[in-house]
Every structure is written in C-alpha cells, then in structure tokens.
Amino acid sequence: AYAEKKKGNDVVAVIFIGDGAFGEGVIYETLNLIKLWSIPLLIIVENNRYAQTTPISLNFSGSFVGRVKGFDISSGEIETNDVEKLYRRFGPIVEKVRNTQLPHVEIIHTYRLGPHSKGDDDRSKDEVRKWWEKEPLQYLETKISKGDIKQVKLDVVKKLQEIEKRVSVMEFGSIK
C-alpha cells in the first residue's frame, strides 16, 4: 500500500486478518503507521470467534472498533455470512479509502466452520452444526436456480481438472 501510494497509483490495498491478530503487537504498530502515513489500506478482520482454539471470550477484552478508534482510524463492523450483503457493503468502503487515501478497518463477525488445524478442535458439535446452517454457499444456493448451480459445479470441476492436468505435466522449474 505504501509503495503504491509513493508511485502515485490510485490503488487500495486490502489485507485479511483473523481476530487472533489483535493479540499481537504488530497489528498496533501497523495501525499506528498507516494512520501516521495516511496509507490507503483496508484491513478486513474476520472475527470467527476463536483465536486458534481459544474462544474470544477468554482472550479478548474491549472491542475491535474501540481499539481501532484509539488510532483515529475509521472502522465499521457487520455480523453476517451473507455474501451479497458483504459485496454491497464493501464497494462504498473501498471507494472511501481510495478517495480519502486513508486506512479503514472493517470487522466481519462470522464463524470458522472447520478446525484451525488438524486435531485441535474442541468446539462442541452442536455449536458447529448451528453455524453450518448459516454457511454462505448453502445460503446462496437458495437464491440461484438448480440449473445454474449444476452448471457452476460442472465449471468448477472442469477448471480443477484443467489445473490438475497442468500440474501433472510440470517439470522442475517449468511447465511443458
């Protein structure tokens, strides 16, 4: 983001971080510098309610927005797994960052459906099951025709097969 700003480009850099990053000092150093240097950076915080395996209630005090406000950086938050709502929300935010050339932090309160890594998931099956009912792709499938869903799935399988074929013919350092 800083390099693009120095080049005079009209670029908005976007990074995604998890809620656990707010337990690390580097995020506060970053917030400080992007505000001081007026960096057009959009930080999207995925608050999935767990920092690895620790529930946020056991490792986080205050609020994300409150912490960001301490650096005088604009911020907002939304609780949704609805991709369409997120799409509509982020268009104006990106334009605001582009036009003001100032950072913004947006928190998405969501849920991580899978474990952080293999063998470390202590969440209850009931808790995870409830969130699967709000899974974004399942939601979208209720708004798209069955024919379109079938075609998208076929297109994805075809693309994956093409990639698999390309990878299988790779030699060390080059592609045939």
Side-chain angles (χ1 to χ4, degrees):
Y2 181 71
E4 292 300 321
K5 180 178 177 151
K6 294 300 274 183
K7 292 177 194 173
N9 292 335
D10 193 21
V11 172
V12 173
V14 180
I15 62 169
F16 287 80
I17 63 174
D19 51 272
F22 273 71
E24 302 292 328
V26 70
I27 188 65
Y28 302 103
E29 295 170 11
T30 300
L31 293 172
N32 185 50
L33 288 178
I34 64 175
K35 179 60 180 186
L36 282 173
W37 297 347
S38 300
I39 304 296
L41 178 65
L42 171 56
I43 299 175
I44 299 173
V45 181
E46 297 175 47
N47 174 20
N48 60 41
R49 296 169 167 79
Y50 284 86
Q52 294 184 345
T53 60
T54 306
I56 197 165
S57 61
L58 298 178
N59 71 12
F60 190 89
S61 63
S63 71
F64 294 100
V65 169
R67 290 181 182 200
V68 172
K69 282 185 180 178
F71 292 92
D72 195 26
I73 294 175
S74 71
S75 63
E77 57 189 325
I78 184 170
E79 177 151 352
T80 189
N81 282 356
D82 183 335
V83 186
E84 292 174 313
K85 280 184 184 176
L86 292 170
Y87 181 81
R88 287 190 303 270
R89 183 174 185 91
F90 277 93
I93 291 171
V94 169
E95 284 310 306
K96 176 184 168 190
V97 173
R98 185 183 324 280
N99 293 334
T100 63
Q101 291 292 291
L102 293 171
H104 180 86
V105 177
E106 192 71 14
I107 298 93
I108 302 172
H109 301 285
T110 185
Y111 190 81
R112 178 174 30 88
L113 294 168
H116 186 266
S117 61
K118 292 181 180 180
D120 71 350
D121 201 351
D122 297 328
R123 300 173 298 171
S124 75
K125 290 186 187 324
D126 188 49
E127 174 185 338
V128 176
R129 181 192 53 75
K130 286 178 184 174
W131 280 94
W132 268 105
E133 294 170 5
K134 302 176 187 180
E135 194 273 333
L137 292 177
Q138 289 183 40
Y139 169 77
L140 282 177
E141 285 187 5
T142 66
K143 301 182 127 208
I144 301 172
S145 75
K146 293 196 184 303
D148 287 344
I149 293 168
K150 184 177 180 180
Q151 187 60 53
V152 167
K153 288 180 178 182
L154 289 171
D155 291 347
V156 168
V157 167
K158 182 180 176 185
K159 189 68 166 173
L160 289 172
Q161 288 170 341
E162 290 171 8
I163 293 167
E164 191 174 90
K165 186 176 179 182
R166 286 187 67 208
V167 169
S168 70
V169 297
M170 288 178 66
E171 290 183 5
F172 186 75
S174 66
I175 298 176
K176 287 187 173 180

PDB file of all heavy atoms in Angstrom, residues 14-35:
ATOM      1  N   VAL A  14      -5.686  -4.322   0.226  1.00  0.00           N
ATOM      2  CA  VAL A  14      -6.619  -4.977   1.144  1.00  0.00           C
ATOM      3  C   VAL A  14      -5.909  -6.164   1.779  1.00  0.00           C
ATOM      4  O   VAL A  14      -5.258  -6.944   1.077  1.00  0.00           O
ATOM      5  CB  VAL A  14      -7.882  -5.478   0.401  1.00  0.00           C
ATOM      6  CG1 VAL A  14      -8.838  -6.167   1.361  1.00  0.00           C
ATOM      7  CG2 VAL A  14      -8.566  -4.339  -0.332  1.00  0.00           C
ATOM      8  N   ILE A  15      -6.013  -6.281   3.092  1.00  0.00           N
ATOM      9  CA  ILE A  15      -5.493  -7.458   3.771  1.00  0.00           C
ATOM     10  C   ILE A  15      -6.598  -8.049   4.649  1.00  0.00           C
ATOM     11  O   ILE A  15      -7.468  -7.331   5.138  1.00  0.00           O
ATOM     12  CB  ILE A  15      -4.235  -7.172   4.623  1.00  0.00           C
ATOM     13  CG1 ILE A  15      -4.531  -6.187   5.746  1.00  0.00           C
ATOM     14  CG2 ILE A  15      -3.086  -6.687   3.761  1.00  0.00           C
ATOM     15  CD1 ILE A  15      -3.420  -6.064   6.763  1.00  0.00           C
ATOM     16  N   PHE A  16      -6.537  -9.344   4.800  1.00  0.00           N
ATOM     17  CA  PHE A  16      -7.465 -10.059   5.675  1.00  0.00           C
ATOM     18  C   PHE A  16      -6.667 -10.595   6.849  1.00  0.00           C
ATOM     19  O   PHE A  16      -5.604 -11.193   6.651  1.00  0.00           O
ATOM     20  CB  PHE A  16      -8.109 -11.238   4.937  1.00  0.00           C
ATOM     21  CG  PHE A  16      -9.124 -10.836   3.918  1.00  0.00           C
ATOM     22  CD1 PHE A  16      -8.738 -10.389   2.666  1.00  0.00           C
ATOM     23  CD2 PHE A  16     -10.477 -10.909   4.218  1.00  0.00           C
ATOM     24  CE1 PHE A  16      -9.684 -10.024   1.715  1.00  0.00           C
ATOM     25  CE2 PHE A  16     -11.428 -10.540   3.277  1.00  0.00           C
ATOM     26  CZ  PHE A  16     -11.021 -10.090   2.017  1.00  0.00           C
ATOM     27  N   ILE A  17      -7.169 -10.368   8.045  1.00  0.00           N
ATOM     28  CA  ILE A  17      -6.544 -10.918   9.239  1.00  0.00           C
ATOM     29  C   ILE A  17      -7.626 -11.549  10.109  1.00  0.00           C
ATOM     30  O   ILE A  17      -8.808 -11.217   9.980  1.00  0.00           O
ATOM     31  CB  ILE A  17      -5.750  -9.860  10.037  1.00  0.00           C
ATOM     32  CG1 ILE A  17      -6.679  -8.750  10.550  1.00  0.00           C
ATOM     33  CG2 ILE A  17      -4.606  -9.297   9.211  1.00  0.00           C
ATOM     34  CD1 ILE A  17      -5.996  -7.744  11.469  1.00  0.00           C
ATOM     35  N   GLY A  18      -7.214 -12.418  10.986  1.00  0.00           N
ATOM     36  CA  GLY A  18      -8.144 -13.031  11.912  1.00  0.00           C
ATOM     37  C   GLY A  18      -8.200 -12.260  13.211  1.00  0.00           C
ATOM     38  O   GLY A  18      -7.343 -11.423  13.503  1.00  0.00           O
ATOM     39  N   ASP A  19      -9.203 -12.565  14.007  1.00  0.00           N
ATOM     40  CA  ASP A  19      -9.369 -11.893  15.298  1.00  0.00           C
ATOM     41  C   ASP A  19      -8.169 -12.112  16.211  1.00  0.00           C
ATOM     42  O   ASP A  19      -7.825 -11.252  17.005  1.00  0.00           O
ATOM     43  CB  ASP A  19     -10.658 -12.360  15.985  1.00  0.00           C
ATOM     44  CG  ASP A  19     -10.771 -13.870  16.050  1.00  0.00           C
ATOM     45  OD1 ASP A  19     -11.299 -14.452  15.096  1.00  0.00           O
ATOM     46  OD2 ASP A  19     -10.336 -14.459  17.050  1.00  0.00           O
ATOM     47  N   GLY A  20      -7.500 -13.253  16.074  1.00  0.00           N
ATOM     48  CA  GLY A  20      -6.333 -13.537  16.913  1.00  0.00           C
ATOM     49  C   GLY A  20      -5.184 -12.564  16.706  1.00  0.00           C
ATOM     50  O   GLY A  20      -4.355 -12.377  17.592  1.00  0.00           O
ATOM     51  N   ALA A  21      -5.150 -11.911  15.535  1.00  0.00           N
ATOM     52  CA  ALA A  21      -4.086 -10.938  15.263  1.00  0.00           C
ATOM     53  C   ALA A  21      -4.130  -9.759  16.227  1.00  0.00           C
ATOM     54  O   ALA A  21      -3.110  -9.111  16.470  1.00  0.00           O
ATOM     55  CB  ALA A  21      -4.183 -10.435  13.822  1.00  0.00           C
ATOM     56  N   PHE A  22      -5.303  -9.506  16.816  1.00  0.00           N
ATOM     57  CA  PHE A  22      -5.414  -8.397  17.756  1.00  0.00           C
ATOM     58  C   PHE A  22      -4.766  -8.710  19.104  1.00  0.00           C
ATOM     59  O   PHE A  22      -4.744  -7.874  19.990  1.00  0.00           O
ATOM     60  CB  PHE A  22      -6.874  -7.966  17.918  1.00  0.00           C
ATOM     61  CG  PHE A  22      -7.297  -6.959  16.891  1.00  0.00           C
ATOM     62  CD1 PHE A  22      -7.467  -7.329  15.569  1.00  0.00           C
ATOM     63  CD2 PHE A  22      -7.484  -5.638  17.236  1.00  0.00           C
ATOM     64  CE1 PHE A  22      -7.836  -6.410  14.613  1.00  0.00           C
ATOM     65  CE2 PHE A  22      -7.851  -4.704  16.285  1.00  0.00           C
ATOM     66  CZ  PHE A  22      -8.028  -5.092  14.970  1.00  0.00           C
ATOM     67  N   GLY A  23      -4.214  -9.899  19.241  1.00  0.00           N
ATOM     68  CA  GLY A  23      -3.422 -10.253  20.412  1.00  0.00           C
ATOM     69  C   GLY A  23      -1.929 -10.107  20.148  1.00  0.00           C
ATOM     70  O   GLY A  23      -1.114 -10.435  21.001  1.00  0.00           O
ATOM     71  N   GLU A  24      -1.573  -9.598  18.976  1.00  0.00           N
ATOM     72  CA  GLU A  24      -0.170  -9.444  18.579  1.00  0.00           C
ATOM     73  C   GLU A  24       0.180  -7.963  18.481  1.00  0.00           C
ATOM     74  O   GLU A  24      -0.609  -7.160  17.995  1.00  0.00           O
ATOM     75  CB  GLU A  24       0.066 -10.109  17.214  1.00  0.00           C
ATOM     76  CG  GLU A  24      -0.280 -11.581  17.172  1.00  0.00           C
ATOM     77  CD  GLU A  24       0.667 -12.434  18.012  1.00  0.00           C
ATOM     78  OE1 GLU A  24       1.858 -12.065  18.109  1.00  0.00           O
ATOM     79  OE2 GLU A  24       0.220 -13.440  18.561  1.00  0.00           O
ATOM     80  N   GLY A  25       1.372  -7.626  18.887  1.00  0.00           N
ATOM     81  CA  GLY A  25       1.814  -6.232  18.862  1.00  0.00           C
ATOM     82  C   GLY A  25       1.944  -5.640  17.474  1.00  0.00           C
ATOM     83  O   GLY A  25       1.750  -4.435  17.280  1.00  0.00           O
ATOM     84  N   VAL A  26       2.253  -6.457  16.487  1.00  0.00           N
ATOM     85  CA  VAL A  26       2.481  -5.936  15.141  1.00  0.00           C
ATOM     86  C   VAL A  26       1.243  -5.250  14.576  1.00  0.00           C
ATOM     87  O   VAL A  26       1.356  -4.297  13.800  1.00  0.00           O
ATOM     88  CB  VAL A  26       3.008  -7.046  14.195  1.00  0.00           C
ATOM     89  CG1 VAL A  26       1.922  -8.072  13.893  1.00  0.00           C
ATOM     90  CG2 VAL A  26       3.566  -6.445  12.919  1.00  0.00           C
ATOM     91  N   ILE A  27       0.047  -5.676  14.966  1.00  0.00           N
ATOM     92  CA  ILE A  27      -1.160  -5.028  14.447  1.00  0.00           C
ATOM     93  C   ILE A  27      -1.238  -3.584  14.934  1.00  0.00           C
ATOM     94  O   ILE A  27      -1.624  -2.680  14.199  1.00  0.00           O
ATOM     95  CB  ILE A  27      -2.453  -5.805  14.780  1.00  0.00           C
ATOM     96  CG1 ILE A  27      -3.661  -5.200  14.039  1.00  0.00           C
ATOM     97  CG2 ILE A  27      -2.741  -5.804  16.263  1.00  0.00           C
ATOM     98  CD1 ILE A  27      -3.620  -5.301  12.564  1.00  0.00           C
ATOM     99  N   TYR A  28      -0.815  -3.331  16.160  1.00  0.00           N
ATOM    100  CA  TYR A  28      -0.883  -1.978  16.705  1.00  0.00           C
ATOM    101  C   TYR A  28       0.210  -1.096  16.099  1.00  0.00           C
ATOM    102  O   TYR A  28      -0.013   0.098  15.880  1.00  0.00           O
ATOM    103  CB  TYR A  28      -0.832  -2.028  18.235  1.00  0.00           C
ATOM    104  CG  TYR A  28      -1.967  -2.878  18.743  1.00  0.00           C
ATOM    105  CD1 TYR A  28      -1.754  -4.175  19.194  1.00  0.00           C
ATOM    106  CD2 TYR A  28      -3.282  -2.417  18.672  1.00  0.00           C
ATOM    107  CE1 TYR A  28      -2.811  -4.978  19.589  1.00  0.00           C
ATOM    108  CE2 TYR A  28      -4.343  -3.216  19.068  1.00  0.00           C
ATOM    109  CZ  TYR A  28      -4.101  -4.492  19.517  1.00  0.00           C
ATOM    110  OH  TYR A  28      -5.154  -5.286  19.888  1.00  0.00           O
ATOM    111  N   GLU A  29       1.356  -1.671  15.799  1.00  0.00           N
ATOM    112  CA  GLU A  29       2.394  -0.928  15.082  1.00  0.00           C
ATOM    113  C   GLU A  29       1.906  -0.570  13.684  1.00  0.00           C
ATOM    114  O   GLU A  29       2.129   0.543  13.198  1.00  0.00           O
ATOM    115  CB  GLU A  29       3.674  -1.762  14.999  1.00  0.00           C
ATOM    116  CG  GLU A  29       4.306  -2.015  16.357  1.00  0.00           C
ATOM    117  CD  GLU A  29       5.428  -3.046  16.308  1.00  0.00           C
ATOM    118  OE1 GLU A  29       5.874  -3.422  15.203  1.00  0.00           O
ATOM    119  OE2 GLU A  29       5.850  -3.485  17.388  1.00  0.00           O
ATOM    120  N   THR A  30       1.221  -1.511  13.044  1.00  0.00           N
ATOM    121  CA  THR A  30       0.683  -1.278  11.708  1.00  0.00           C
ATOM    122  C   THR A  30      -0.380  -0.187  11.726  1.00  0.00           C
ATOM    123  O   THR A  30      -0.364   0.729  10.893  1.00  0.00           O
ATOM    124  CB  THR A  30       0.097  -2.586  11.133  1.00  0.00           C
ATOM    125  OG1 THR A  30       1.138  -3.559  11.075  1.00  0.00           O
ATOM    126  CG2 THR A  30      -0.502  -2.365   9.759  1.00  0.00           C
ATOM    127  N   LEU A  31      -1.317  -0.279  12.676  1.00  0.00           N
ATOM    128  CA  LEU A  31      -2.354   0.745  12.773  1.00  0.00           C
ATOM    129  C   LEU A  31      -1.739   2.130  12.984  1.00  0.00           C
ATOM    130  O   LEU A  31      -2.189   3.117  12.382  1.00  0.00           O
ATOM    131  CB  LEU A  31      -3.327   0.412  13.914  1.00  0.00           C
ATOM    132  CG  LEU A  31      -4.195  -0.832  13.710  1.00  0.00           C
ATOM    133  CD1 LEU A  31      -4.960  -1.158  14.991  1.00  0.00           C
ATOM    134  CD2 LEU A  31      -5.123  -0.695  12.528  1.00  0.00           C
ATOM    135  N   ASN A  32      -0.729   2.201  13.803  1.00  0.00           N
ATOM    136  CA  ASN A  32      -0.058   3.466  14.062  1.00  0.00           C
ATOM    137  C   ASN A  32       0.545   4.039  12.778  1.00  0.00           C
ATOM    138  O   ASN A  32       0.324   5.206  12.436  1.00  0.00           O
ATOM    139  CB  ASN A  32       1.022   3.273  15.130  1.00  0.00           C
ATOM    140  CG  ASN A  32       1.667   4.566  15.538  1.00  0.00           C
ATOM    141  OD1 ASN A  32       0.992   5.541  15.863  1.00  0.00           O
ATOM    142  ND2 ASN A  32       2.994   4.591  15.496  1.00  0.00           N
ATOM    143  N   LEU A  33       1.293   3.216  12.041  1.00  0.00           N
ATOM    144  CA  LEU A  33       1.969   3.712  10.838  1.00  0.00           C
ATOM    145  C   LEU A  33       1.005   4.039   9.710  1.00  0.00           C
ATOM    146  O   LEU A  33       1.182   5.054   9.014  1.00  0.00           O
ATOM    147  CB  LEU A  33       3.007   2.695  10.358  1.00  0.00           C
ATOM    148  CG  LEU A  33       4.255   2.594  11.231  1.00  0.00           C
ATOM    149  CD1 LEU A  33       5.192   1.522  10.693  1.00  0.00           C
ATOM    150  CD2 LEU A  33       4.966   3.930  11.324  1.00  0.00           C
ATOM    151  N   ILE A  34      -0.014   3.211   9.498  1.00  0.00           N
ATOM    152  CA  ILE A  34      -0.904   3.510   8.379  1.00  0.00           C
ATOM    153  C   ILE A  34      -1.698   4.795   8.619  1.00  0.00           C
ATOM    154  O   ILE A  34      -2.050   5.495   7.672  1.00  0.00           O
ATOM    155  CB  ILE A  34      -1.837   2.323   8.026  1.00  0.00           C
ATOM    156  CG1 ILE A  34      -2.800   1.983   9.154  1.00  0.00           C
ATOM    157  CG2 ILE A  34      -1.034   1.128   7.563  1.00  0.00           C
ATOM    158  CD1 ILE A  34      -3.824   0.902   8.818  1.00  0.00           C
ATOM    159  N   LYS A  35      -1.943   5.109   9.874  1.00  0.00           N
ATOM    160  CA  LYS A  35      -2.610   6.378  10.170  1.00  0.00           C
ATOM    161  C   LYS A  35      -1.631   7.544  10.023  1.00  0.00           C
ATOM    162  O   LYS A  35      -1.940   8.542   9.370  1.00  0.00           O
ATOM    163  CB  LYS A  35      -3.215   6.345  11.579  1.00  0.00           C
ATOM    164  CG  LYS A  35      -3.891   7.645  11.961  1.00  0.00           C
ATOM    165  CD  LYS A  35      -5.024   8.010  11.014  1.00  0.00           C
ATOM    166  CE  LYS A  35      -5.668   9.330  11.442  1.00  0.00           C
ATOM    167  NZ  LYS A  35      -6.829   9.649  10.652  1.00  0.00           N
TER     168      LYS A  35
END
